[in-house]
């Protein structure tokens, strides 16, 4: 009988872990508390460090069929509309890092991972699994659902997101912290926008206590828009669903009342917005926050981060790839998961810290804002390219026997 991997959570991270586990030769049981497999309708950017892994898993055709591949990333001042810097993407970044920079709808990425997982006969996808607790023994780990169903495996992966129950059972630490930042998200067909507002590049608008990002998805047919502002909601939610579907354009326009005309034009062209309250955790402090015994944490369950480096989903996919690598030839499962934790925690902590730093830089005011703009105009592409990030990720395999 082969080894069995239990995975809690069937989002992008959980699906990636299921695929990596199946490719490593494990039987996989993927358990999701919701009644359907789904992803929030928003776009994400995936750097070459991520597309490289997806392509290595044999998903290049699937990714290329649904993603957009912007040719440049432009940074502009949100008040003056002045261009501050440009990072050339397209062929240039693909030649440097061996894979392209892409933008993709979250649901499309989730679907292609789901389809790849479903092609493996040793995988089982279980819905309506509200897991209540786990237990570790010398040779197994078990989890029990609210309906008293019990599942037994050789390892458990908590890929159950920001409010991860598996994390709470494993670490018993505090809940995620509110950041004081709000994200307004929208998706709009490019054909429904005035010609002057359509775009096939990534554009970041930086302003005092705010910034906005726009980029194409779904082969360039749709434009993804996100505006980040500092503020609190009255009665800020602490429940698991932190999306507010009643967000309206008027609230966002108040927050961005002083931005430049081109950005104002974009805001007024879009009426349907969704609001997201941002939470995070401090950067990881050690490998114990990634794995203990036969239980490992992955993605937001281990290292939720602010989306200011566009690497939240990317780090979950990197986690999954490393997990699959250490499990492939290992017979000592706790040692394999300890190796996974050692390989991942420092990189994830660095990305978390850089995301925090970027938020401060993006939202800078006064003299710091002037210095940021000046540095970007002088440094340009050199400052915006990130070899440590885009060239890093999966490490050479060290078998754990």
């Amino acid at each position: 009988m082969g080894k069995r991997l239990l995975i809690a959570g069937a989002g992008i991270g959980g699906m990636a872990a299921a695929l990596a586990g199946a490719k490593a030769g494990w039987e996989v049981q993927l358990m999701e508390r919701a009644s359907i497999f789904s992803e929030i309708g928003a776009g994400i950017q995936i750097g070459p460090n991520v597309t490289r892994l997806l392509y290595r898993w044999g998903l290049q055709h699937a990714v290329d069929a649904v993603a957009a591949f912007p040719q440049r990333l432009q940074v502009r001042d949100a008040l003056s509309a002045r261009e501050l810097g440009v990072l050339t993407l397209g062929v240039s970044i693909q030649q440097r890092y061996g894979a392209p920079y892409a933008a993709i709808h979250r649901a499309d990425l989730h679907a292609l991972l789901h389809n790849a997982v479903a092609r493996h006969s040793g995988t089982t996808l279980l819905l309506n699994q509200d897991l209540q607790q786990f237990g570790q023994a010398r040779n197994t780990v078990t989890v029990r659902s609210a309906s008293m169903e019990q599942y037994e495996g050789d390892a458990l992966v908590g890929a159950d997101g920001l409010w991860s129950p598996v994390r709470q059972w494993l670490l018993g630490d505090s809940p995620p912290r509110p950041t004081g930042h709000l994200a307004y998200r929208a998706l709009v067909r490019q054909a429904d926008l005035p010609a002057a507002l359509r775009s096939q590049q990534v554009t970041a608008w930086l302003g005092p206590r705010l910034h906005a990002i726009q980029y194409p998805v779904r082969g360039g047919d749709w434009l993804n828009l996100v505006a980040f502002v500092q503020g609190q909601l009255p009665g800020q939610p602490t429940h698991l669903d932190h999306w507010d579907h009643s967000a309206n354009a008027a609230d966002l326009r108040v927050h961005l009342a002083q931005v430049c005309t081109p950005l104002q034009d974009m805001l007024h062209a879009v009426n349907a917005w969704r609001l997201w309250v941002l939470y995070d955790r401090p950067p990881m402090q050690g490998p114990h926050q990634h794995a203990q015994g036969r239980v490992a944490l992955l993605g937001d369950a281990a290292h939720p981060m602010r989306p200011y480096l566009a690497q939240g989903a990317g780090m979950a996919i990197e986690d999954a790839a490393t997990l699959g690598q250490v499990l492939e030839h290992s017979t000592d499962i706790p040692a394999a998961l300890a190796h996974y934790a050692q390989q991942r925690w420092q990189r994830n902590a660095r990305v978390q810290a850089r995301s925090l730093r970027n938020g401060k830089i993006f939202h800078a005011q006064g003299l710091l804002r002037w210095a940021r703009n000046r540095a970007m105009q002088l440094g340009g592409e050199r400052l915006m390219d990130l070899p440590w990030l885009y060239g890093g990720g999966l490490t050479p395999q060290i078998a754990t026997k």
Side-chain angles (χ1 to χ4, degrees):
M1 180 177 177
K3 295 186 288 293
R4 179 180 296 169
L5 181 64
L6 307 178
I7 301 174
I12 287 172
M15 284 292 177
L19 181 58
K23 285 181 172 292
W26 283 52
E27 179 185 342
V28 177
Q29 286 191 331
L30 183 61
M31 296 167 284
E32 168 59 44
R33 71 193 303 269
S35 58
I36 57 172
F37 289 113
S38 65
E39 262 295 338
I40 294 296
I44 54 173
Q45 300 172 74
I46 51 176
N49 56 307
V50 185
T51 51
R52 187 165 55 245
L53 296 177
L54 296 173
Y55 284 8
R56 188 178 299 176
W57 283 340
L59 299 176
Q60 179 171 351
H61 177 74
V63 171
D64 292 355
V66 296
F69 298 91
Q71 297 300 303
R72 66 202 299 263
L73 190 163
Q74 177 192 46
V75 179
R76 301 177 69 176
D77 187 291
L79 300 189
S80 68
R82 185 176 59 203
E83 181 179 278
L84 302 177
V86 172
L87 175 63
T88 304
L89 304 175
V91 173
S92 176
I93 203 165
Q94 183 164 354
Q95 289 175 340
R96 285 201 297 281
Y97 301 114
Y101 192 106
I104 191 168
H105 194 294
R106 291 185 67 94
D108 293 340
L109 177 56
H110 187 264
L112 67 88
L113 288 169
H114 184 189
N115 290 338
V117 168
R119 288 194 291 269
H120 287 267
S121 59
T123 61
T124 305
L125 310 182
L126 304 171
L127 296 168
N128 292 308
Q129 298 300 310
D130 187 5
L131 303 182
Q132 296 296 305
Q133 66 181 55
F134 74 78
Q136 295 196 63
R138 184 171 181 270
N139 296 314
T140 61
V141 60
T142 59
V143 292
R144 195 175 71 220
S145 70
S147 58
M148 302 306 293
E149 294 172 284
Q150 186 162 294
Y151 303 96
E152 182 177 291
D154 297 277
L156 169 65
V157 173
D160 43 352
L162 176 69
W163 304 96
S164 167
V166 175
R167 181 190 178 104
Q168 292 307 309
W169 304 333
L170 185 68
L171 303 181
D173 59 0
S174 59
R177 61 186 183 183
T179 64
H181 291 199
L182 308 174
Y184 289 81
R185 296 180 180 265
L187 276 166
V188 59
R189 287 184 183 275
Q190 301 253 28
D192 294 337
L193 291 170
L197 298 180
R198 300 171 193 169
S199 175
Q200 295 298 324
Q201 69 175 16
V202 182
T203 302
W205 304 83
L206 309 185
R209 293 173 58 84
L210 62 90
H211 76 285
I213 307 285
Q214 61 185 68
Y215 51 85
V217 293
R218 292 191 159 163
D221 292 339
W222 290 71
L223 193 66
N224 186 77
L225 306 166
V226 193
F228 299 93
V229 300
Q230 293 179 212
Q232 302 283 347
L233 291 181
Q236 184 161 298
T238 57
H239 49 77
L240 297 182
D241 182 9
H242 50 280
W243 285 86
D244 178 2
H245 298 273
S246 66
N248 61 66
D251 293 336
L252 177 58
R253 290 166 187 162
V254 170
H255 282 294
L256 274 66
Q258 298 182 355
V259 300
C260 61
T261 298
L263 186 50
Q264 290 280 4
D265 290 344
M266 180 64 72
L267 298 176
H268 283 83
V270 180
N271 292 315
W273 296 87
R274 303 175 80 169
L275 181 60
W276 191 23
V277 181
L278 298 183
Y279 290 79
D280 70 357
R281 291 185 181 276
M284 299 188 80
Q285 297 299 303
H288 67 285
Q289 292 180 314
H290 240 321
Q292 294 181 26
R294 292 178 174 269
V295 181
L297 301 176
L298 180 147
D300 282 351
H303 44 74
M305 58 189 67
R306 302 187 189 193
Y308 303 153
L309 196 57
Q311 284 288 328
M315 289 301 102
I317 291 171
E318 282 193 12
D319 284 350
T322 301
L323 181 70
Q325 187 185 66
V326 302
L327 292 180
E328 186 169 4
H329 301 293
S330 299
T331 55
D332 186 338
I333 306 308
L337 296 184
H339 181 58
Y340 156 79
Q342 286 287 354
Q343 291 297 318
R344 292 301 304 160
W345 82 268
Q346 288 176 306
R347 179 165 170 85
N348 285 320
R350 185 176 184 181
V351 173
Q352 285 177 294
R354 185 61 178 262
S355 299
L356 277 168
R357 176 175 174 265
N358 277 4
K360 295 176 182 177
I361 293 171
F362 292 175
H363 292 198
Q365 305 177 77
L367 186 60
L368 181 59
R369 173 173 170 263
W370 177 89
R372 176 203 66 201
N373 289 3
R374 183 63 173 162
M376 293 200 69
Q377 289 172 321
L378 293 174
E381 189 150 326
R382 180 181 58 82
L383 289 179
M384 297 169 67
D385 195 8
L386 300 170
W388 67 269
L389 179 62
Y390 300 143
L394 196 63
T395 56
Q397 182 169 347
I398 302 174
T400 306
K401 294 292 186 182

